[in-house]
């Protein structure tokens, strides 16, 4: 080994850029200490150094005589560079690279190459010569195609090409028989190569955020697949053959055009099914019966009108999200699901469940449903009982007063609470005066708002320490909140927020409570873990995959620790 390394070093000559003083004049410096450490450990991390190109001596790290060896001919055991290890892991992430040199072939021992978050528009064909490569991360670049030579990597187990500009994938991608993880999300793909069927060792496949109108039935040949993500495409149906994927545990179908749940009779191990933001109108009872291992069922933002009694066969169900559908009644037996810890129902026209009860949380809601069973209350298909509170003579509302006088009048009724029909009558009309006098109210009825933004003038509220924006329609985290340094509590649950900025949140050093439950967060940035002042971080009811429910259940400290562990080193 030592002789071979000396021979290679001699063959490299002295003109190949042995140190930072050679090669291009503008070549960015790589500290010699890093290079020495890399020769011992076999790992070199050059992430986030502003590199516009990779210095030649990095590619030749295992070929050329180190600069320090040319100056000092007496070596200790640790400095005998000719006996030290070949580079196996090279991280070039978060730089400004526009291309990679064909000299990458000079590192044949590489098992990991990470160049994510650069400006690459193409990849060198020499990548095909890295026969030991097991993980290739080229995500978050500007790639429009992948070289055919990539298909020559027999040991490649993880290929990450998400967030590029790919409109198609190589037809022969199925030749990568060792592949276990493939992420092609956030590209412009309109079709999947049929050779995918050959990827029998694939465990995780991410096709999210593309332009797929259909899935090839051949995907069913992926007998090892446990996680399939097809979020945000144009799928109207799921091939029936996919039902034979016996290893499938997680299936993401959010933000498509599905009109019904897929039939998955053979997916006995399926634990999570996410199908929110589709056009599903009916829950087929027979389909539900096949999913008896399901722990998470997410169906928010569809057009579901009824929940069948058969949903109670899902005895392992822990999370059920039915928010923002057209459900008017629930089967009371839902309260008997033994493992259910989270039930989202807001945004439905429920007739038998008060809105304030929905805000009290899952356990109170389940307790209420069980009480209705014990009381032999009406089933979901029966009309609710007529009481003094719901008599037509009492619930009449003066529409003329609302539209012309901006007055909502419901006084002298001796009512214990205000019927929903009173508020429904208001609709979108602005109301300036409310008269609920001469009743028996014990609290002001909670009402939802429809805020979508906050005025920038709020920046002047430098002493504001609590803000409650729950049950509105924010799609983005209000940026003005990042500029309120005294904030201690932000309540933003039950909105449609899709992302947060962890760096700006960390600037709120007094923030102790952040409630983002029931939003549209597709991912939780790991850097949120650096907000160590948070004592209460609530994230349940979002469509992200990680952290998993088991981590969330351990509490805020455990979630923050988990997120910090995911920050790229």
């Amino acid at each position: 080994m030592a002789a071979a390394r000396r021979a290679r070093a001699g063959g490299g000559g002295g003109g190949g850029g042995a140190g930072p003083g050679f090669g291009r004049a503008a070549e960015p410096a790589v500290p010699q200490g890093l290079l020495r450490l890399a020769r011992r450990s076999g790992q070199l991390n050059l992430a986030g150094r502003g590199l516009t190109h990779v210095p030649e001596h990095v590619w030749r790290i295992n070929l050329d005589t180190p600069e320090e060896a040319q100056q000092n001919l007496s070596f200790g055991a640790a400095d005998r560079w000719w006996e030290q290890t070949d580079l196996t892991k090279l991280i070039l992430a978060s730089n400004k690279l526009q291309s990679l040199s064909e000299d990458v072939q000079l590192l044949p021992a590489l098992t990991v190459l990470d160049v994510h978050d650069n400006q690459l528009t193409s990849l060198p064909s020499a990548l095909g010569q890295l026969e030991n490569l097991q993980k290739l991360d080229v995500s978050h670049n500007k790639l429009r195609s992948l070289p055919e030579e990539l298909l020559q990597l027999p040991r490649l187990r993880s290929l990450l090409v998400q967030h590029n500009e790919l409109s198609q994938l190589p037809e022969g991608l199925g030749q990568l028989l060792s592949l276990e993880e493939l992420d092609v999300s956030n590209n412009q793909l309109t079709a999947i190569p049929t050779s995918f069927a050959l990827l029998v060792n694939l465990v995780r496949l991410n096709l999210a955020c593309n332009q797929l109108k259909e899935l090839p039935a051949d995907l069913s040949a992926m007998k090892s697949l446990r996680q399939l993500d097809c979020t945000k495409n144009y799928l109207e149906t799921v091939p029936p053959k996919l039902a034979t994927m016996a290893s499938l545990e997680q299936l993401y179908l959010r933000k498509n055009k599905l009109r019904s749940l897929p039939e998955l009779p053979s997916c006995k191990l399926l634990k999570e099914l996410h199908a929110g933001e589709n056009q599903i109108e009916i829950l087929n009872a027979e389909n539900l019966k096949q999913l008896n291992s399901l722990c998470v069922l997410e169906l928010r933002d569809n057009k579901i009108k009824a929940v069948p009694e058969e949903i109670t066969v899902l005895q392992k169900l822990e999370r059920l999200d039915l928010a923002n559908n057209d459900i008017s009644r629930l089967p009371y037996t839902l309260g008997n699901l033994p493992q259910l810890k989270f039930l989202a129902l807001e945004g439905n026209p429920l007739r038998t469940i008060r809105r304030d009860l929905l805000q009290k949380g899952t356990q109170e809601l389940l307790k209420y449903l069980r009480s209705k069973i014990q009381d032999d209350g009406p089933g979901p298909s029966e009309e609710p009982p007529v009481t003094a509170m719901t008599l037509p003579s009492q619930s009449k509302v003066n529409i003329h007063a609302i539209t012309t006088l901006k007055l909502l009048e419901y006084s002298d009724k001796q009512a214990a609470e205000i019927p929903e029909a009173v508020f429904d009558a208001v609709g979108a009309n602005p109301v300036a005066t409310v008269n609920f006098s001469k009743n028996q109210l014990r609290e002001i009825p909670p009402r939802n708002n429809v805020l979508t933004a906050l005025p920038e003038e709020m920046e002047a509220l430098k002493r504001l320490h609590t803000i409650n924006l729950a049950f509105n329609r924010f799609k983005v985290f209000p940026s003005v909140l990042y500029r309120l340094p005294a904030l201690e509590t932000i309540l933003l649950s039950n909105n449609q927020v899709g992302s947060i900025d962890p760096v700006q949140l960390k600037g709120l050093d007094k923030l102790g409570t952040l409630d983002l439950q029931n939003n549209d967060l597709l991912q939780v940035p790991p850097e949120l873990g650096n907000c160590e002042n948070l004592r209460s971080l609530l994230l349940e009811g979002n469509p992200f995959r990680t952290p998993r429910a088991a981590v969330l259940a351990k509490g805020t400290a455990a979630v923050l620790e988990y997120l910090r562990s995911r920050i790229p080193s």
Side-chain angles (χ1 to χ4, degrees):
M1 178 69 179
R5 195 182 302 279
R6 284 195 297 272
R8 284 195 297 167
F22 296 88
R24 310 184 197 188
E27 193 169 278
V30 175
Q32 285 296 323
L34 269 183
L35 296 176
R36 281 197 298 270
L37 184 61
R39 291 190 184 97
R40 295 172 191 162
S41 67
Q43 301 183 12
L44 180 57
N45 188 343
L46 298 177
R49 291 183 171 269
L51 300 177
T52 56
H53 67 276
V54 181
E56 188 177 357
H57 60 275
V58 170
W59 300 127
R60 300 182 62 86
I61 187 172
N62 295 132
L63 296 179
D64 293 338
T65 306
E67 184 176 283
E68 67 271 19
Q70 297 174 358
Q71 300 169 358
N72 180 10
L73 299 178
S74 61
F75 303 104
D79 294 320
R80 291 187 297 199
W81 56 270
W82 58 87
E83 293 183 355
Q84 292 167 9
T85 186
D86 282 334
L87 200 65
T88 59
K89 183 176 183 179
L90 178 58
I91 300 177
L92 297 165
S94 302
N95 282 293
K96 300 177 181 178
L97 304 176
Q98 295 184 3
S99 63
L100 285 181
S101 168
E102 296 285 344
D103 285 345
V104 69
Q105 64 188 300
L106 300 178
L107 300 172
L110 277 185
T111 60
V112 175
L113 178 59
D114 183 351
V115 289
H116 83 267
D117 189 21
N118 277 282
Q119 300 169 22
L120 300 176
T121 56
S122 62
L123 295 175
S125 58
L127 279 178
Q129 298 185 38
L130 303 180
E131 60 180 24
N132 291 301
L133 200 63
Q134 296 180 24
K135 179 177 181 178
L136 176 61
D137 188 346
V138 294
S139 62
H140 294 269
N141 279 285
K142 299 179 179 180
L143 300 175
R144 295 187 175 179
S145 64
L146 298 177
E148 291 289 331
E149 289 80 4
L150 209 61
L151 310 181
Q152 301 169 12
L153 301 174
R155 296 180 175 86
L156 195 65
R157 296 169 57 186
S158 175
L159 177 58
L160 307 178
V161 297
Q162 68 268 28
H163 289 276
N164 276 285
E165 300 173 11
L166 302 173
S167 58
Q168 61 182 12
L169 297 172
E171 276 299 322
L173 202 63
Q175 297 174 37
L176 298 173
L177 298 180
S178 297
L179 213 57
E180 297 176 5
E181 177 182 31
L182 176 60
D183 192 337
V184 296
S185 63
N186 291 278
N187 279 284
Q188 300 162 19
L189 302 175
T190 57
I192 299 300
T194 54
S195 68
F196 264 40
L198 301 174
L199 300 175
V200 293
N201 292 307
L202 202 65
V203 174
R204 291 177 296 278
L205 174 58
N206 193 341
L207 303 171
C209 302
N210 279 287
Q211 300 170 22
L212 302 174
K213 294 184 178 180
E214 60 181 7
L215 295 175
D218 294 337
L219 288 184
S220 59
M222 296 179 177
K223 299 303 182 184
S224 301
L225 198 67
R226 294 205 296 264
Q227 184 183 92
L228 175 59
D229 191 342
C230 300
T231 300
K232 202 173 182 181
N233 279 282
Y234 300 105
L235 303 177
E236 296 183 3
T237 59
V238 174
K241 284 187 70 174
L242 253 60
T244 63
M245 302 178 76
S247 297
L248 199 61
E249 295 180 4
Q250 295 172 282
L251 178 57
Y252 295 84
L253 296 167
R254 300 186 79 250
K255 296 189 176 185
N256 279 283
K257 297 184 176 182
L258 300 178
R259 296 188 177 276
S260 62
L261 276 183
E263 296 184 26
L264 303 166
S266 298
C267 297
K268 302 297 184 184
L269 300 179
L270 192 66
K271 293 180 174 63
E272 297 187 21
L273 176 55
H274 300 260
E277 293 191 60
N278 278 282
Q279 299 169 22
I280 299 173
E281 296 184 5
I282 297 175
L283 289 183
N284 187 297
E286 289 303 315
N287 290 3
L288 290 176
K289 288 179 181 179
Q290 301 162 357
L291 303 174
N292 51 16
S293 292
L294 214 57
C295 298
V296 177
L297 180 56
E298 187 265 302
L299 295 168
R300 64 183 296 130
D301 295 284
N302 277 287
K303 300 177 181 179
I304 298 168
K305 294 180 171 58
V307 179
E309 289 277 355
E310 286 78 2
I311 199 167
T312 55
V313 304
L314 305 181
Q315 290 289 296
K316 296 181 180 179
L317 201 62
E318 297 178 10
R319 298 171 62 85
L320 177 59
D321 191 342
L322 295 168
N324 302 326
N325 277 281
D326 296 329
I327 301 167
S328 58
R329 297 185 185 87
L330 283 177
Y332 295 137
T333 50
L334 198 61
N336 284 336
L337 285 175
Q339 306 295 329
L340 197 61
K341 299 180 179 67
F342 176 84
L343 175 60
L345 293 169
E346 66 275 1
N348 283 287
L350 292 166
R351 297 176 60 181
T352 56
I353 300 178
R354 302 189 312 275
R355 193 167 298 183
D356 63 316
L357 181 59
L358 295 179
Q359 297 178 2
K360 291 181 179 179
T362 297
Q363 295 310 312
E364 285 295 317
L365 185 53
L366 295 178
K367 182 178 177 182
Y368 167 80
L369 292 173
R370 287 193 295 270
S371 74
K372 300 301 285 186
I373 300 173
Q374 295 165 1
D375 294 344
D376 294 321
S381 59
E382 302 173 36
E383 288 295 324
V386 176
T387 66
M389 194 187 82
T390 55
L391 283 173
S393 61
Q394 284 206 307
S395 59
K396 286 181 180 178
V397 182
N398 189 334
I399 302 296
H400 178 73
I402 293 173
T403 55
T404 59
L405 304 176
K406 298 182 180 180
L407 168 65
L408 176 58
E409 173 80 34
Y410 194 79
S411 61
D412 200 14
K413 307 292 185 183
Q414 303 302 311
E417 50 188 13
I418 306 300
E420 286 295 317
V422 174
F423 296 107
D424 292 341
V426 175
N429 294 298
V431 170
T433 306
V434 175
N435 184 2
F436 291 158
S437 63
K438 295 186 180 180
N439 283 295
Q440 298 179 19
L441 303 179
R442 295 186 178 181
E443 60 181 3
I444 298 175
R447 306 305 304 161
N448 299 349
N449 292 299
V450 290
L451 297 178
T452 59
L454 294 180
E456 293 300 313
E457 289 79 3
M458 281 186 63
E459 188 174 359
L461 304 176
K462 297 300 184 185
R463 297 184 180 179
L464 185 68
H465 60 78
T466 299
I467 187 164
N468 188 346
L469 300 170
F471 291 93
N472 278 283
R473 296 183 184 175
F474 290 97
K475 292 188 176 181
V476 297
F477 191 98
S479 60
V480 70
L481 298 185
Y482 295 128
R483 302 192 293 277
L484 300 177
L487 274 178
E488 299 173 6
T489 300
I490 298 176
L491 306 178
L492 201 56
S493 65
N494 296 281
N495 280 277
Q496 301 164 27
V497 175
S499 64
I500 51 176
D501 186 334
V503 176
Q504 295 200 66
L505 278 174
K506 192 175 187 302
L508 301 176
D509 52 15
K510 295 184 179 180
L511 187 64
T513 298
L514 178 59
D515 186 350
L516 292 168
Q517 296 178 100
N518 303 324
N519 276 281
D520 289 342
L521 295 175
L522 286 173
Q523 60 181 11
V524 181
E527 293 78 10
L528 186 61
N530 290 330
C531 298
E532 298 183 16
N533 291 323
L534 283 175
R535 298 182 303 279
S536 177
L537 174 61
L538 304 173
L539 297 170
E540 289 80 5
N542 282 281
F544 55 74
R545 290 179 294 172
T546 57
R548 303 289 298 277
V551 176
L552 297 180
K554 293 179 180 178
T556 298
V559 172
L560 294 178
E561 182 180 356
Y562 169 85
L563 290 173
R564 285 194 294 273
S565 73
R566 306 271 293 187
I567 297 175
S569 57

